[in-house]
Tab-separated table of all heavy atoms in Angstrom:
chain	number	residue	atom	x	y	z
A	7	PHE	N	85.551	80.058	135.188
A	7	PHE	CA	86.737	79.172	135.046
A	7	PHE	C	87.399	79.285	133.638
A	7	PHE	O	88.623	79.206	133.496
A	7	PHE	CB	86.445	77.678	135.265
A	7	PHE	CG	86.056	77.465	136.747
A	7	PHE	CD1	84.763	77.220	137.105
A	7	PHE	CD2	87.052	77.482	137.707
A	7	PHE	CE1	84.394	77.009	138.440
A	7	PHE	CE2	86.716	77.299	139.037
A	7	PHE	CZ	85.393	77.025	139.387
A	8	ILE	N	86.639	79.512	132.626
A	8	ILE	CA	87.109	79.579	131.238
A	8	ILE	C	87.744	80.879	130.903
A	8	ILE	O	88.767	80.944	130.213
A	8	ILE	CB	86.021	79.178	130.254
A	8	ILE	CG1	85.661	77.709	130.463
A	8	ILE	CG2	86.468	79.380	128.845
A	8	ILE	CD1	84.473	77.203	129.660
A	9	ALA	N	87.146	82.000	131.336
A	9	ALA	CA	87.589	83.283	131.043
A	9	ALA	C	89.096	83.606	131.413
A	9	ALA	O	89.842	84.029	130.617
A	9	ALA	CB	86.729	84.388	131.560
A	10	PRO	N	89.443	83.241	132.661
A	10	PRO	CA	90.935	83.416	132.970
A	10	PRO	C	91.826	82.581	132.094
A	10	PRO	O	92.870	83.058	131.733
A	10	PRO	CB	90.989	82.989	134.430
A	10	PRO	CG	89.622	83.121	134.933
A	10	PRO	CD	88.700	82.793	133.795
A	11	LEU	N	91.411	81.375	131.749
A	11	LEU	CA	92.220	80.515	130.916
A	11	LEU	C	92.421	81.160	129.517
A	11	LEU	O	93.507	81.208	128.982
A	11	LEU	CB	91.584	79.109	130.757
A	11	LEU	CG	92.269	78.196	129.805
A	11	LEU	CD1	93.707	77.907	130.328
A	11	LEU	CD2	91.533	76.912	129.718
A	12	ILE	N	91.342	81.723	128.990
A	12	ILE	CA	91.421	82.347	127.689
A	12	ILE	C	92.325	83.553	127.771
A	12	ILE	O	93.155	83.761	126.878
A	12	ILE	CB	90.003	82.753	127.227
A	12	ILE	CG1	89.198	81.476	126.866
A	12	ILE	CG2	90.112	83.772	125.985
A	12	ILE	CD1	87.747	81.749	126.572
A	13	LEU	N	92.243	84.321	128.850
A	13	LEU	CA	93.120	85.508	128.965
A	13	LEU	C	94.557	85.146	129.058
A	13	LEU	O	95.442	85.778	128.487
A	13	LEU	CB	92.701	86.380	130.140
A	13	LEU	CG	91.395	87.087	130.054
A	13	LEU	CD1	91.008	87.744	131.373
A	13	LEU	CD2	91.432	88.106	128.954
A	14	VAL	N	94.842	84.048	129.761
A	14	VAL	CA	96.253	83.548	129.873
A	14	VAL	C	96.698	83.148	128.490
A	14	VAL	O	97.874	83.465	128.092
A	14	VAL	CB	96.363	82.368	130.898
A	14	VAL	CG1	97.656	81.736	130.786
A	14	VAL	CG2	96.146	82.909	132.277
A	15	LEU	N	95.929	82.385	127.764
A	15	LEU	CA	96.352	81.959	126.429
A	15	LEU	C	96.603	83.087	125.490
A	15	LEU	O	97.563	83.116	124.746
A	15	LEU	CB	95.302	81.014	125.842
A	15	LEU	CG	95.206	79.597	126.499
A	15	LEU	CD1	94.030	78.815	125.963
A	15	LEU	CD2	96.548	78.855	126.406
A	16	ILE	N	95.677	84.087	125.518
A	16	ILE	CA	95.841	85.212	124.641
A	16	ILE	C	97.123	86.022	125.026
A	16	ILE	O	97.875	86.481	124.169
A	16	ILE	CB	94.607	86.171	124.766
A	16	ILE	CG1	93.445	85.544	124.078
A	16	ILE	CG2	94.882	87.559	124.142
A	16	ILE	CD1	92.099	86.261	124.264
A	17	GLY	N	97.423	86.119	126.344
A	17	GLY	CA	98.606	86.772	126.765
A	17	GLY	C	99.930	86.125	126.375
A	17	GLY	O	100.961	86.795	126.225
A	18	THR	N	99.889	84.784	126.242
A	18	THR	CA	101.129	84.063	125.991
A	18	THR	C	101.335	83.901	124.461
A	18	THR	O	102.438	83.627	124.088
A	18	THR	CB	101.160	82.689	126.639
A	18	THR	OG1	100.005	81.943	126.158
A	18	THR	CG2	101.086	82.763	128.159
A	19	VAL	N	100.287	84.056	123.662
A	19	VAL	CA	100.457	83.882	122.257
A	19	VAL	C	100.889	85.312	121.676
A	19	VAL	O	100.238	86.300	121.890
A	19	VAL	CB	99.055	83.478	121.585
A	19	VAL	CG1	99.176	83.488	120.095
A	19	VAL	CG2	98.712	82.132	122.102
A	20	LYS	N	101.976	85.240	120.898
A	20	LYS	CA	102.468	86.468	120.262
A	20	LYS	C	102.314	86.265	118.783
A	20	LYS	O	102.723	85.187	118.240
A	20	LYS	CB	103.912	86.673	120.589
A	20	LYS	CG	104.138	87.094	122.044
A	20	LYS	CD	105.573	87.471	122.239
A	20	LYS	CE	105.821	87.948	123.647
A	20	LYS	NZ	107.197	88.233	123.887
A	21	ALA	N	101.846	87.240	118.135
A	21	ALA	CA	101.795	87.163	116.648
A	21	ALA	C	103.178	87.314	116.173
A	21	ALA	O	104.018	88.068	116.602
A	21	ALA	CB	100.875	88.205	116.162
A	22	ARG	N	103.461	86.644	115.046
A	22	ARG	CA	104.773	86.717	114.433
A	22	ARG	C	104.647	87.487	113.122
A	22	ARG	O	103.635	87.377	112.442
A	22	ARG	CB	105.356	85.290	114.163
A	22	ARG	CG	105.816	84.584	115.376
A	22	ARG	CD	106.677	83.495	115.023
A	22	ARG	NE	107.723	84.042	114.063
A	22	ARG	CZ	108.758	83.338	113.643
A	22	ARG	NH1	108.964	82.198	114.049
A	22	ARG	NH2	109.565	83.896	112.739
A	23	HIS	N	105.696	88.173	112.849
A	23	HIS	CA	105.775	88.947	111.582
A	23	HIS	C	107.208	88.781	111.063
A	23	HIS	O	108.165	88.749	111.830
A	23	HIS	CB	105.442	90.403	111.880
A	23	HIS	CG	105.196	91.168	110.612
A	23	HIS	ND1	106.265	91.656	109.859
A	23	HIS	CD2	104.093	91.597	109.996
A	23	HIS	CE1	105.785	92.329	108.805
A	23	HIS	NE2	104.480	92.279	108.870
A	24	PRO	N	107.409	88.738	109.754
A	24	PRO	CA	108.767	88.577	109.251
A	24	PRO	C	109.734	89.683	109.729
A	24	PRO	O	110.897	89.340	109.848
A	24	PRO	CB	108.571	88.673	107.734
A	24	PRO	CG	107.170	88.277	107.444
A	24	PRO	CD	106.359	88.733	108.683
A	25	PHE	N	109.229	90.858	109.980
A	25	PHE	CA	110.160	91.919	110.385
A	25	PHE	C	110.410	91.998	111.901
A	25	PHE	O	111.096	92.896	112.367
A	25	PHE	CB	109.591	93.240	109.902
A	25	PHE	CG	109.303	93.235	108.367
A	25	PHE	CD1	108.452	94.161	107.910
A	25	PHE	CD2	110.006	92.445	107.576
A	25	PHE	CE1	108.179	94.158	106.509
A	25	PHE	CE2	109.731	92.423	106.171
A	25	PHE	CZ	108.852	93.329	105.663
A	26	ASP	N	109.895	90.951	112.631
A	26	ASP	CA	110.183	90.938	114.027
A	26	ASP	C	111.641	90.714	114.364
A	26	ASP	O	112.115	90.917	115.459
A	26	ASP	CB	109.397	89.716	114.712
A	26	ASP	CG	107.932	90.037	114.858
A	26	ASP	OD1	107.532	91.232	114.721
A	26	ASP	OD2	107.203	89.094	115.197
A	27	ILE	N	112.474	90.365	113.330
A	27	ILE	CA	113.873	90.101	113.531
A	27	ILE	C	114.654	91.352	113.828
A	27	ILE	O	115.687	91.275	114.461
A	27	ILE	CB	114.500	89.363	112.314
A	27	ILE	CG1	114.393	90.264	111.167
A	27	ILE	CG2	113.925	88.019	112.134
A	27	ILE	CD1	115.456	89.888	110.001
A	28	PHE	N	114.186	92.504	113.348
A	28	PHE	CA	114.907	93.723	113.419
A	28	PHE	C	114.936	94.283	114.852
A	28	PHE	O	113.971	94.266	115.540
A	28	PHE	CB	114.394	94.764	112.469
A	28	PHE	CG	114.562	94.320	111.015
A	28	PHE	CD1	113.420	94.130	110.213
A	28	PHE	CD2	115.813	94.162	110.514
A	28	PHE	CE1	113.568	93.705	108.896
A	28	PHE	CE2	115.917	93.800	109.124
A	28	PHE	CZ	114.846	93.571	108.343
A	29	HIS	N	116.125	94.830	115.211
A	29	HIS	CA	116.235	95.528	116.458
A	29	HIS	C	116.314	96.988	116.030
A	29	HIS	O	117.338	97.543	115.715
A	29	HIS	CB	117.604	95.096	117.155
A	29	HIS	CG	117.661	93.652	117.377
A	29	HIS	ND1	118.207	92.780	116.514
A	29	HIS	CD2	117.242	92.900	118.466
A	29	HIS	CE1	118.088	91.546	116.951
A	29	HIS	NE2	117.504	91.594	118.149
A	30	TRP	N	115.105	97.578	115.962
A	30	TRP	CA	114.950	98.874	115.383
A	30	TRP	C	115.740	99.993	116.067
A	30	TRP	O	115.739	100.159	117.256
A	30	TRP	CB	113.464	99.319	115.370
A	30	TRP	CG	112.610	98.379	114.610
A	30	TRP	CD1	111.625	97.528	115.138
A	30	TRP	CD2	112.575	98.189	113.213
A	30	TRP	NE1	111.050	96.845	114.169
A	30	TRP	CE2	111.553	97.171	112.966
A	30	TRP	CE3	113.297	98.714	112.123
A	30	TRP	CZ2	111.304	96.705	111.670
A	30	TRP	CZ3	113.005	98.192	110.842
A	30	TRP	CH2	111.989	97.252	110.591
A	31	ASN	N	116.416	100.714	115.251
A	31	ASN	CA	117.148	101.945	115.602
A	31	ASN	C	116.427	103.010	114.828
A	31	ASN	O	116.456	102.973	113.556
A	31	ASN	CB	118.610	101.784	115.236
A	31	ASN	CG	119.360	103.096	115.308
A	31	ASN	OD1	118.857	104.182	114.933
A	31	ASN	ND2	120.576	103.032	115.843
A	32	SER	N	115.816	103.935	115.485
A	32	SER	CA	114.929	104.853	114.752
A	32	SER	C	115.673	105.681	113.630
A	32	SER	O	115.195	105.951	112.542
A	32	SER	CB	114.201	105.776	115.702
A	32	SER	OG	115.158	106.579	116.408
A	33	LYS	N	116.930	106.061	114.000
A	33	LYS	CA	117.728	106.830	112.981
A	33	LYS	C	117.959	105.935	111.747
A	33	LYS	O	117.710	106.448	110.599
A	33	LYS	CB	119.011	107.242	113.622
A	33	LYS	CG	119.913	108.036	112.662
A	33	LYS	CD	121.197	108.459	113.385
A	33	LYS	CE	122.088	109.241	112.484
A	33	LYS	NZ	123.018	108.427	111.836
A	34	ASP	N	118.432	104.748	111.914
A	34	ASP	CA	118.714	103.832	110.756
A	34	ASP	C	117.370	103.505	110.022
A	34	ASP	O	117.349	103.496	108.780
A	34	ASP	CB	119.354	102.572	111.162
A	34	ASP	CG	120.784	102.786	111.638
A	34	ASP	OD1	121.396	103.806	111.201
A	34	ASP	OD2	121.328	101.958	112.317
A	35	PHE	N	116.384	103.267	110.767
A	35	PHE	CA	115.073	102.961	110.200
A	35	PHE	C	114.560	104.071	109.256
A	35	PHE	O	114.293	103.887	108.097
A	35	PHE	CB	114.030	102.680	111.231
A	35	PHE	CG	112.634	102.431	110.771
A	35	PHE	CD1	112.306	101.243	110.149
A	35	PHE	CD2	111.616	103.460	110.954
A	35	PHE	CE1	111.011	101.084	109.713
A	35	PHE	CE2	110.340	103.188	110.475
A	35	PHE	CZ	110.035	102.053	109.844
A	36	GLU	N	114.655	105.286	109.814
A	36	GLU	CA	114.193	106.465	109.020
A	36	GLU	C	115.115	106.718	107.835
A	36	GLU	O	114.649	107.044	106.694
A	36	GLU	CB	114.100	107.667	109.879
A	36	GLU	CG	112.913	107.602	110.851
A	36	GLU	CD	112.910	108.718	111.876
A	36	GLU	OE1	113.669	109.751	111.724
A	36	GLU	OE2	112.180	108.607	112.829
A	37	GLU	N	116.420	106.552	107.995
A	37	GLU	CA	117.319	106.689	106.844
A	37	GLU	C	117.067	105.633	105.744
A	37	GLU	O	117.110	105.987	104.537
A	37	GLU	CB	118.784	106.580	107.338
A	37	GLU	CG	119.237	107.827	108.056
A	37	GLU	CD	120.702	107.697	108.597
A	37	GLU	OE1	121.374	106.731	108.203
A	37	GLU	OE2	121.083	108.579	109.345
A	38	CYS	N	116.769	104.437	106.142
A	38	CYS	CA	116.476	103.384	105.119
A	38	CYS	C	115.198	103.734	104.371
A	38	CYS	O	115.123	103.579	103.179
A	38	CYS	CB	116.405	102.021	105.775
A	38	CYS	SG	117.956	101.299	106.291
A	39	LEU	N	114.247	104.245	105.089
A	39	LEU	CA	113.009	104.673	104.430
A	39	LEU	C	113.269	105.733	103.427
A	39	LEU	O	112.829	105.715	102.239
A	39	LEU	CB	111.922	105.039	105.435
A	39	LEU	CG	111.322	104.005	106.296
A	39	LEU	CD1	110.308	104.628	107.274
A	39	LEU	CD2	110.655	102.907	105.477
A	40	HIS	N	114.040	106.806	103.876
A	40	HIS	CA	114.358	107.900	103.050
A	40	HIS	C	115.133	107.519	101.805
A	40	HIS	O	114.833	107.958	100.709
A	40	HIS	CB	115.141	108.963	103.875
A	40	HIS	CG	115.504	110.217	103.111
A	40	HIS	ND1	114.641	111.120	102.774
A	40	HIS	CD2	116.743	110.546	102.601
A	40	HIS	CE1	115.235	112.081	102.052
A	40	HIS	NE2	116.530	111.717	101.917
A	41	VAL	N	116.182	106.702	101.972
A	41	VAL	CA	117.017	106.252	100.902
A	41	VAL	C	116.198	105.536	99.824
A	41	VAL	O	116.400	105.607	98.635
A	41	VAL	CB	118.117	105.345	101.378
A	41	VAL	CG1	118.801	104.598	100.279
A	41	VAL	CG2	119.164	106.180	102.116
A	42	ASN	N	115.110	104.803	100.316
A	42	ASN	CA	114.297	104.008	99.403
A	42	ASN	C	112.985	104.704	98.990
A	42	ASN	O	112.114	104.075	98.434
A	42	ASN	CB	114.007	102.638	99.996
A	42	ASN	CG	115.328	101.827	100.036
A	42	ASN	OD1	115.815	101.395	98.990
A	42	ASN	ND2	115.843	101.624	101.195
A	43	ASN	N	112.929	106.012	99.340
A	43	ASN	CA	111.778	106.876	98.942
A	43	ASN	C	110.467	106.235	99.430
A	43	ASN	O	109.501	106.118	98.681
A	43	ASN	CB	111.729	107.084	97.418
A	43	ASN	CG	110.884	108.204	96.990
A	43	ASN	OD1	110.637	109.178	97.796
A	43	ASN	ND2	110.312	108.144	95.831
A	44	ILE	N	110.402	105.901	100.685
A	44	ILE	CA	109.174	105.340	101.361
A	44	ILE	C	108.854	106.203	102.473
A	44	ILE	O	109.699	106.498	103.365
A	44	ILE	CB	109.488	103.895	101.832
A	44	ILE	CG1	109.920	103.008	100.662
A	44	ILE	CG2	108.277	103.335	102.556
A	44	ILE	CD1	110.372	101.599	101.141
A	45	THR	N	107.583	106.608	102.588
A	45	THR	CA	107.160	107.383	103.715
A	45	THR	C	106.780	106.462	104.885
A	45	THR	O	106.559	105.281	104.657
A	45	THR	CB	105.894	108.217	103.354
A	45	THR	OG1	104.788	107.367	103.108
A	45	THR	CG2	106.136	109.154	102.189
A	46	ILE	N	106.726	107.024	106.070
A	46	ILE	CA	106.334	106.228	107.247
A	46	ILE	C	104.939	105.625	107.003
A	46	ILE	O	104.737	104.511	107.297
A	46	ILE	CB	106.318	107.148	108.560
A	46	ILE	CG1	107.705	107.601	108.847
A	46	ILE	CG2	105.668	106.383	109.702
A	46	ILE	CD1	108.600	106.598	109.526
A	47	SER	N	104.055	106.411	106.508
A	47	SER	CA	102.628	105.883	106.303
A	47	SER	C	102.636	104.797	105.255
A	47	SER	O	101.895	103.832	105.376
A	47	SER	CB	101.630	107.001	105.935
A	47	SER	OG	101.992	107.617	104.759
A	48	GLU	N	103.448	104.929	104.188
A	48	GLU	CA	103.517	103.797	103.254
A	48	GLU	C	104.115	102.543	103.917
A	48	GLU	O	103.550	101.463	103.641
A	48	GLU	CB	104.438	104.200	102.081
A	48	GLU	CG	103.840	105.193	101.105
A	48	GLU	CD	104.815	105.662	100.091
A	48	GLU	OE1	105.973	105.838	100.423
A	48	GLU	OE2	104.382	105.823	98.931
A	49	TYR	N	105.079	102.786	104.683
A	49	TYR	CA	105.707	101.563	105.365
A	49	TYR	C	104.726	100.942	106.311
A	49	TYR	O	104.611	99.708	106.320
A	49	TYR	CB	106.975	101.966	106.134
A	49	TYR	CG	107.598	100.776	106.763
A	49	TYR	CD1	108.458	99.923	106.054
A	49	TYR	CD2	107.350	100.491	108.044
A	49	TYR	CE1	109.011	98.816	106.636
A	49	TYR	CE2	107.877	99.326	108.696
A	49	TYR	CZ	108.714	98.508	107.966
A	49	TYR	OH	109.245	97.446	108.552
A	50	GLU	N	103.997	101.744	107.044
A	50	GLU	CA	103.040	101.148	108.034
A	50	GLU	C	101.961	100.374	107.285
A	50	GLU	O	101.531	99.344	107.788
A	50	GLU	CB	102.415	102.328	108.842
A	50	GLU	CG	103.428	102.872	109.876
A	50	GLU	CD	102.885	104.077	110.621
A	50	GLU	OE1	101.831	104.614	110.164
A	50	GLU	OE2	103.533	104.485	111.583
A	51	LYS	N	101.525	100.873	106.191
A	51	LYS	CA	100.523	100.190	105.414
A	51	LYS	C	101.073	98.846	104.905
A	51	LYS	O	100.372	97.831	104.881
A	51	LYS	CB	100.068	101.069	104.233
A	51	LYS	CG	98.695	100.639	103.658
A	51	LYS	CD	98.302	101.460	102.411
A	51	LYS	CE	98.200	102.946	102.652
A	51	LYS	NZ	97.693	103.627	101.515
């Protein structure tokens, strides 16, 4: 009885991050990284 409840709760909870606001466009995203001298791996970290 408890396991399905836990799975439902985990499925409905979404982690928030400050950058969740962005509607990513890969071209713009990559250009912004390039202009600011940031690599993809640096950004991911």
